[in-house]
Each structure stands twice: as structure tokens, then as C-alpha cells.
Amino acid sequence: MQNIGMTPVAADSAAMAADAAYVGRFAPSPTGPLHRGSLAAALASWLDARAHGGQWLVRIEDVDGPRCRPGAEEAILAQLAACGLHADRPVIRQRDRAVAYQRALDVLRTGGLAYPCACSRRAVEEALVQRGMAPERHAERIYPGTCRAGIAEGTPAGPRAWRLRVPAGAAAHVDWVDRRLGAHSEAVDRTVGDFVLLRADGMWAYQLAVVVDDAGQGVTDVVRGEDLADSTARQVLLQRMLGLATPRYLHVPLVRDEAGEKLSKQTGAAAFVPGPAALAQAMRDLGLGSSGAATVPGLLADAVDRWRASWGEG
Ligand code: GLU
């Protein structure tokens, strides 16, 4: 079996095995059809749910409207179905969930835990440079707190973003455990600061939407690509501030091309052709080795056995 670092963190799989109420999910953004890397992530979440005798849900994360492509949702669902990956409950879409996101924002606002912000990206950058922090392109920037005490007088009226008032000190500290990557510790006030919940253009931020939806769907286990590991502390902090349960997390390795770049829609990774060959590739990509099975059901049965051997049973 090829080893791509999928060794479980000790003891966790035993705890998982006892959990009959497992709910997992795959949450693709409909920015294009799934590629080889996203199939591996979908398969990982499905396998973990099956191996634990749990439910597997699909949620379409279309909260960032302009990035969504017409027909992508249908293409994704058809690709999943052709690989034998069927959701156990009706698919939900974030575009239908604004009321729930608004309710969560209202809870935070009422508690003084969210505030309106008039800063453009450029204003944030300028404020940081004024504080002696060198400009950085493409890097996650810590919000300098410009609007924390209120929007400056004289600021022209206009649509506002809403930010989370990240608490100071110990209350901003998040410890969380990944089943593969182990223990993480992050002081959110020092890594990102007050992050956006609702954008000035009216779009809900991924961090808020994902937390509200995971809780709303009763998700107990998040299995997703490793590129999202660095969002997890923000999500756990939000769960805490909203009084929501924290799921278990497993971030699986990203599939990379020959140059070592992660496969992504942005870099033009090709849609996979659904069927046994794609599924067999996804199994290899997840470190589950080569299967002798030639059909979709045969491959999936084999994959569940192999996954269970690594990650615990249901
Ligand atoms: N919608 C996100 C993506 O496609 C996944 C979010 C998640 O799994 O938490 O990258």
C-alpha cells in the first residue's frame, strides 16, 4: 500500500467506532465539475461515513454566487452518482440558507460579538502598512481593528461588512485535534483577527455558512481536503461563540500534479470521467492501494474495508 501519510492519530479510531450517530458530509462549491482531487475528498468523506455505519450528506456551497458556474451543481451530482456516491438525505444548497445565517449573525450582534465594518481591502492594507507591517500580496492579513470601536465619523454611507469580534487572550485560543494531523493550537486574534461573516456585497462568508450548516445538519464528522485545515480554528471559535457543538475533523492529503501543485479548478484541473477507473485512482490517491475489483460497487466495497482497517469501524 502506498503511504501518503494517512496514519491515524492513536486512539481516535477506537472512540469513533463506538459512535452510531455519525453524520458526515461532502460540501463542494459548484465552481465547476469535480476533478481528480475533489473526487478523492468526496470518496474519503463517503468512506468514513460508511465505515462508521453513519449517514453521508451532500451540501452545495454556492454562497459565493459569482464564482459559481451554471450547470456545475448538476454535473457534480451526476459525477458522484456515477461513482456510486449517493447522499442519504436531500441535497441542501447554501443559497436557500440565508435565514439561518442571518439568525446566527443576529445572535452574535445581540451579544456584542459582531460589528459593522466599512474598510475596503485597500484600507485594511494601508492601516497595516501604517503600523509598520510590510505589504504582502495573497497572504491572509490580520484585520487591524479599524472599525472595532465604531465606523469613523464622516465615512460615507454604504453597504457594510460584518466582522466577528474575536475575543482577546485565552478566549481567542483554539485547541483542536485532527484525526490524521494531530493536535493544533491557534490564537485566532493573532493569526487572522476579526474575520468577515457577511461581506459588504451581501454575500455570506464561507466560515459562517459552513459552521451554521454543519450544526444545522447535525454533522458529527468533517472529512475534507487538507487545504481547509487552516480554516478550522476559525470555525471552532465560531462554534464556541454560537454555542454549537464541534465536530471531529479529518483532513486528507491533497492530490498533487507531477509538479507538486495541488489540483484545483482554479488551475484548470480536468473533470474526471466517472466510472471504475476514476474510483480506482481516487482509492490510490487516498493511499488505499490498488484494488482488483473492476466495477463501481466492487471498488467501493473494497475501499470501505481498507478504510475501516485504517480509520476505525462503525
Ligand atoms: N466548499 C468548500 C470547497 O469546495 C469545502 C468546504 C468544507 O468542506 O468545509 O472547497
Side-chain angles (χ1 to χ4, degrees), residues 192-270:
V192 282
D194 296 347
F195 57 90
V196 170
L197 304 169
L198 174 62
R199 290 161 33 170
D201 60 11
M203 275 189 272
W204 295 98
Y206 158 69
Q207 308 293 354
L208 180 76
V210 78
V211 162
V212 170
D213 287 340
D214 281 340
Q217 295 189 286
V219 169
T220 60
D221 289 82
V222 171
V223 178
R224 60 186 178 189
E226 200 175 307
D227 53 336
L228 291 161
D230 68 0
S231 284
T232 307
R234 266 170 280 176
Q235 293 170 17
V236 173
L237 182 66
L238 261 179
Q239 288 153 4
R240 206 195 276 166
M241 293 172 77
L242 286 164
L244 303 172
T246 291
R248 283 165 294 229
Y249 288 97
L250 169 60
H251 290 90
V252 296
L254 299 178
V255 179
R256 297 184 182 278
D257 62 18
E258 289 87 64
E261 292 296 316
K262 86 160 198 166
L263 296 183
S264 75
K265 290 168 203 161
Q266 285 85 339
T267 57

Side-chain angles (χ1 to χ4, degrees), residues 13 16-24 45-56 88-89 179 220-221 248 304 307-308 311-314:
S13 41
M16 300 281 303
D19 183 9
Y22 183 112
V23 180
S45 65
W46 185 88
L47 288 172
D48 203 50
R50 284 295 169 270
H52 291 89
Q55 291 193 358
W56 183 71
D88 294 315
R89 286 192 228 150
R179 288 165 56 201
T220 60
D221 289 82
R248 283 165 294 229
V304 172
W307 186 272
R308 189 177 279 134
W311 297 102
E313 28 205 287

Side-chain angles (χ1 to χ4, degrees), residues 68-314:
C68 297
R69 293 282 160 270
E73 175 185 328
E74 292 72 18
I76 289 170
L77 295 176
Q79 285 175 303
L80 292 174
C83 289
L85 308 181
H86 301 280
D88 294 315
R89 286 192 228 150
V91 172
I92 74 159
R93 293 160 188 89
Q94 291 188 324
R95 64 173 176 271
D96 299 328
R97 301 271 302 149
V99 170
Y101 307 147
Q102 185 64 56
R103 208 178 298 135
L105 179 59
D106 289 345
V107 167
L108 295 168
R109 282 174 67 168
T110 307
L113 303 175
Y115 62 86
C117 172
C119 296
S120 62
R121 203 178 279 267
R122 202 164 131 210
V124 169
E125 202 51 48
E126 281 168 6
L128 287 169
V129 170
Q130 260 175 29
R131 286 165 191 227
M133 295 171 76
E136 267 180 74
R137 282 169 73 83
H138 309 302
E140 186 85 58
R141 299 293 262 160
I142 302 170
Y143 181 64
T146 318
C147 297
R148 235 185 180 232
I151 292 171
E153 240 172 88
T155 307
R160 305 291 185 223
W162 281 81
R163 288 181 181 273
L164 183 71
R165 189 182 298 279
V166 173
H173 206 102
V174 174
D175 290 310
W176 64 278
V177 179
D178 183 273
R179 288 165 56 201
R180 181 175 71 95
L181 302 168
H184 287 68
S185 193
E186 182 175 330
V188 177
D189 56 339
R190 279 186 272 130
T191 52
V192 282
D194 296 347
F195 57 90
V196 170
L197 304 169
L198 174 62
R199 290 161 33 170
D201 60 11
M203 275 189 272
W204 295 98
Y206 158 69
Q207 308 293 354
L208 180 76
V210 78
V211 162
V212 170
D213 287 340
D214 281 340
Q217 295 189 286
V219 169
T220 60
D221 289 82
V222 171
V223 178
R224 60 186 178 189
E226 200 175 307
D227 53 336
L228 291 161
D230 68 0
S231 284
T232 307
R234 266 170 280 176
Q235 293 170 17
V236 173
L237 182 66
L238 261 179
Q239 288 153 4
R240 206 195 276 166
M241 293 172 77
L242 286 164
L244 303 172
T246 291
R248 283 165 294 229
Y249 288 97
L250 169 60
H251 290 90
V252 296
L254 299 178
V255 179
R256 297 184 182 278
D257 62 18
E258 289 87 64
E261 292 296 316
K262 86 160 198 166
L263 296 183
S264 75
K265 290 168 203 161
Q266 285 85 339
T267 57
F272 69 85
V273 181
L279 214 42
Q281 179 65 56
M283 282 178 69
R284 288 193 297 275
D285 286 337
L286 291 172
L288 299 176
S290 297
S291 169
T295 63
V296 164
L299 286 159
L300 289 177
D302 219 4
V304 172
D305 287 343
R306 290 169 188 220
W307 186 272
R308 189 177 279 134
S310 304
W311 297 102
E313 28 205 287

